Amino acid sequence: GGCRRHVLDSLWPHGRCIRQHLEIRTTPGGRLVNNNHYFSNLLGLLLLGGALSMDREGRNWWTWSRQRIQSEFILQVHEEGSDFESSLPYHRLMMEMGALAALGLFGMGNPPSRKMLHRLHRGLRLLEHAVQPDGSLPQLGDSDDGRVLPLADYFLPRNGGQEMWGRWRRLLFHG
């Protein structure tokens, strides 16, 4: 109906703005050093592209972002699962965005690479061990309190933490 059309129509300008203003960072020497801002740009285009795939522009956003987001996750998350920004709050943000990206990729019939899933799995395990009983994280490194999905909140015992963690793990890592 009309509301659905209004919502869909409102998404186009957001996608165009993201695509035109990607937060790409380079060193003075010209080396790429992107961070979670660029990753969030890719995530936005991936999800918008999936939602708006009925149109060529939406499909282009999807196609353009789906490989880049996996490559960028692998660049920003070390093999053992820690985020390169050396910050638990930013690690949590990257794991939330990585999980959402993986779910979006699965949802559109393009499973993430094994390498991305491996790093995501390790990163979520690290996060699981870092979350305090009250849901907080130790303040290690910088933080701007950015969140995408409150995944860490699902690890809390009062929220059925182990059960929810098991569901997320099955969903992300066992298709």
Side-chain angles (χ1 to χ4, degrees):
C3 183
R4 184 175 191 276
R5 181 81 256 156
H6 180 71
V7 169
L8 284 174
D9 288 346
S10 74
L11 297 177
W12 294 105
H14 293 289
R16 290 177 186 129
C17 182
I18 293 169
R19 186 65 178 96
Q20 291 170 4
H21 302 284
L22 294 171
E23 297 175 79
I24 297 172
R25 304 281 185 251
T26 56
T27 65
R31 187 174 65 86
L32 281 176
V33 287
N34 293 322
N35 59 23
N36 64 74
H37 295 252
Y38 178 64
F39 193 83
S40 70
N41 296 159
L42 295 174
L43 179 61
L45 289 172
L46 181 82
L47 298 177
L48 287 168
L52 302 170
S53 62
M54 76 294 274
D55 181 85
R56 185 171 49 98
E57 186 175 20
R59 284 191 304 276
N60 287 343
W61 293 341
W62 165 260
T63 302
W64 185 85
S65 62
R66 75 175 179 211
Q67 281 308 119
R68 283 174 178 81
I69 201 163
Q70 294 182 73
S71 299
E72 195 63 32
F73 190 83
I74 291 164
L75 285 173
Q76 292 193 31
V77 177
H78 300 295
E79 189 172 340
E80 88 288 346
S82 67
D83 177 61
F84 88 102
E85 293 187 65
S86 302
S87 159
L88 274 177
Y90 282 124
H91 174 80
R92 176 176 57 195
L93 177 61
M94 278 300 294
M95 292 306 107
E96 290 174 357
M97 289 192 294
L100 191 52
L103 291 172
L105 289 164
F106 276 125
M108 289 294 286
N110 290 273
S113 69
R114 293 177 66 84
K115 195 170 189 178
M116 180 183 175
L117 285 175
H118 176 76
R119 290 181 190 212
L120 179 59
H121 183 260
R122 287 186 169 206
L124 287 170
R125 293 296 301 205
L126 190 155
L127 184 60
E128 176 186 21
H129 293 292
V131 172
Q132 302 300 298
D134 67 355
S136 66
L137 283 176
Q139 184 56 52
L140 296 173
D142 192 17
S143 175
D144 65 3
D145 297 320
R147 300 292 300 273
V148 174
L149 291 172
L151 285 181
D153 299 345
Y154 291 117
F155 300 142
L156 297 177
R158 70 174 180 267
N159 294 336
Q162 289 302 88
E163 182 183 339
M164 287 301 291
W165 169 239
R167 288 181 191 169
W168 275 101
R169 212 176 353 197
R170 282 190 300 280
L171 183 62
L172 287 168
F173 307 113
H174 302 293

